[in-house]
Amino acid sequence: MRKAKVKGQKRKANWIVNLVLGIICIVWFIPTLGLLISSVRPAADILQSGWWTVFPHRQWDTVSQLKLDRDTDLRKPITVNGKTFSDDQLKAGVEVDGQRLIWENRRARTLDVQEKKWGASTDFTLQNYETVLGGKQYKITQPDGTIKTEQGSGMGRSFWNTIAVVIPSTVIPIFIASFAAYAFAWLKFRGRNIFFIVIIALLVVPLQVALIPILRDYTTLGLNGTYFGIWMAHTAFGLPLITYFMYNSISQLPKDLFESAFMDGATNFTIFSRLILPLSVPALASISIFQFLWVWNDYLVSLIFLGSQPEVQVLSMSIANLVGSRGNDWHLLTSAAFISMLTPLAVFFALQKYFVRGLLGGSVKG
């Protein structure tokens, strides 16, 4: 009886866990699906209707048109087929006998007569991706009256600029933090606890308070606007969390391993390279994902220390600039954002088998 009760409780707990996971997946999947669908829709469709209209649904379709007199006064009640409506009602659309009347061309006094029918917006295009990747075309009128077409810059350069920033900004802090974590976990030296407390304290310091002082130093040293400067900035901002994360993993390794290695005459560097790194692969993969995603999506740090010039501009800046000064190209953000998501997703799925193991590493003893 007791076993049946315990089994029933486990089944109920599993059902609750699966339900919560399903809800989380749906919450994340629906916006991603909407982003993908919007990225392949024409600009006019994006502006006029939501992405969900690509699925079968009831919508108003025009079946005929009515032409009113040109001298119809729109400030007075408007009579259509024996019924009276206001101009505001016809702007929003008014239903009459299962049909809807709505202005098609208010200036020309033309009304659309619409009926609800099943339909779907299935007009897809890759024009948004072509514009984002290849650059937008601009038509420039020359002094002699001829029109010259210029091709704008796409996201290709920004993509490689981002790669040039992300890879060193991920590898360098993880490399340094791994050494530091090993030292804090297993080496004895004067001031170890104080240094570790300082590193933990840096986790709560807002990143923004350090931007201006560091920028002044960068300007003095000539590092502002260089890749080396942005690498050092991301390294400095990422070291406290990475060191703490790696410390939790390395400190839980069996002590017998180190005692045996020391008895065999292994140096600290040999222990670190032959024992620590192979055993810490899950933790290294997990923190690599976090650091990679943070640097890949970074906008503020890159804007301040690298700048927004086209030759060094990263993806986040390029995407923000797509909308233009008047926001007239905001529909391109969907395809640009989806392109920006592909690389982080590829990194995550490539390292996902280590992800959970790395997060759990150091959480339990024994």
Side-chain angles (χ1 to χ4, degrees):
M1 184 70 179
R2 184 177 179 181
K3 290 183 177 179
K5 184 177 180 181
V6 172
K7 189 175 182 180
Q9 291 177 345
K10 289 184 177 179
R11 188 182 297 111
K12 183 179 179 180
N14 291 335
W15 183 84
I16 294 175
V17 170
N18 292 332
L19 177 62
V20 172
L21 290 177
I23 293 174
I24 293 174
C25 291
I26 292 174
V27 169
W28 279 98
F29 175 75
I30 291 178
T32 305
L33 178 63
L35 188 67
L36 175 61
I37 293 175
S38 297
S39 68
V40 293
R41 299 184 71 203
D45 290 352
I46 295 176
L47 296 174
Q48 293 176 1
S49 60
W51 62 267
W52 51 87
T53 57
V54 300
F55 301 105
H57 64 284
R58 297 275 287 178
Q59 63 182 10
W60 291 106
D61 283 345
T62 301
V63 295
S64 61
Q65 289 186 340
L66 294 176
K67 184 73 174 178
L68 303 181
D69 293 336
R70 294 283 299 183
D71 56 352
T72 300
D73 191 350
L74 301 182
R75 293 171 296 181
K76 297 180 180 179
I78 303 169
T79 301
V80 181
N81 294 335
K83 297 184 178 180
T84 302
F85 309 101
S86 66
D87 180 38
D88 290 336
Q89 286 179 312
L90 294 177
K91 285 181 181 178
V94 59
E95 294 188 35
V96 180
D97 299 330
Q99 294 181 326
R100 186 173 76 163
L101 299 176
I102 190 170
W103 284 120
E104 187 276 331
N105 189 325
R106 186 169 173 269
R107 183 182 295 272
R109 306 299 193 267
T110 305
L111 288 169
D112 277 343
V113 180
Q114 300 177 336
E115 293 181 355
K116 270 199 170 181
K117 297 181 180 180
W118 282 98
S121 302
T122 57
D123 186 14
F124 300 119
T125 179
L126 295 178
Q127 182 61 44
N128 293 338
Y129 285 96
E130 293 176 2
T131 302
V132 169
L133 294 174
K136 187 177 179 180
Q137 290 186 346
Y138 298 91
K139 294 184 177 180
I140 303 174
T141 303
Q142 301 295 321
D144 58 358
T146 60
I147 298 177
K148 182 181 179 181
T149 302
E150 292 286 347
Q151 188 75 25
S153 60
M155 292 178 57
R157 173 179 288 184
S158 299
F159 176 83
W160 292 113
N161 290 342
T162 307
I163 293 294
V165 171
V166 167
I167 294 179
S169 298
T170 302
V171 174
I172 294 174
I174 291 177
F175 180 76
I176 297 175
S178 298
F179 277 108
Y182 169 65
F184 286 127
W186 295 106
L187 300 184
K188 294 182 179 180
F189 55 91
R190 183 177 299 178
R192 182 181 66 170
N193 293 334
I194 296 177
F195 287 132
F196 189 69
I197 291 173
V198 170
I199 289 177
I200 300 304
L202 289 175
L203 289 173
V204 300
V205 177
L207 178 150
Q208 291 80 4
V209 302
L211 296 179
I212 300 303
I214 295 177
L215 181 60
R216 290 180 177 177
D217 294 336
Y218 270 34
T219 303
T220 303
L221 298 173
L223 294 176
N224 198 33
T226 64
Y227 284 119
F228 181 76
I230 192 68
W231 296 342
M232 292 301 99
H234 281 304
T235 298
F237 294 138
L239 270 177
L241 176 60
I242 300 174
T243 302
Y244 180 66
F245 186 92
M246 293 303 301
Y247 170 84
N248 288 334
S249 176
I250 294 175
S251 63
Q252 299 304 320
L253 295 175
K255 187 177 181 181
D256 297 340
L257 287 175
F258 303 95
E259 293 178 349
S260 300
F262 278 120
M263 291 179 62
D264 291 338
T267 63
N268 285 318
F269 182 79
T270 302
I271 294 174
F272 178 79
S273 59
R274 298 293 180 88
L275 292 178
I276 299 297
L277 289 183
L279 293 174
S280 303
V281 169
L284 290 170
S286 297
I287 197 62
S288 296
I289 292 175
F290 285 117
Q291 180 70 3
F292 183 93
L293 292 178
W294 181 71
V295 178
W296 183 272
N297 294 319
D298 168 68
Y299 179 87
L300 179 61
V301 176
S302 296
L303 177 63
I304 292 177
F305 296 115
L306 194 60
S308 58
Q309 297 300 320
E311 58 271 12
V312 294
Q313 191 178 80
V314 295
L315 269 179
S316 56
M317 298 182 201
S318 180
I319 292 174
N321 292 336
L322 279 176
V323 296
S325 58
R326 299 182 181 179
N328 54 327
D329 291 330
W330 70 268
H331 61 278
L332 298 176
L333 290 178
T334 55
S335 53
F338 204 79
I339 292 173
S340 179
M341 290 170 53
L342 294 179
T343 301
L345 285 175
V347 172
F348 176 80
F349 286 120
L351 301 177
Q352 65 173 335
K353 64 179 180 180
Y354 302 110
F355 188 67
V356 176
R357 290 166 54 192
L359 292 179
L360 296 178
S363 61
V364 295
K365 294 184 177 181

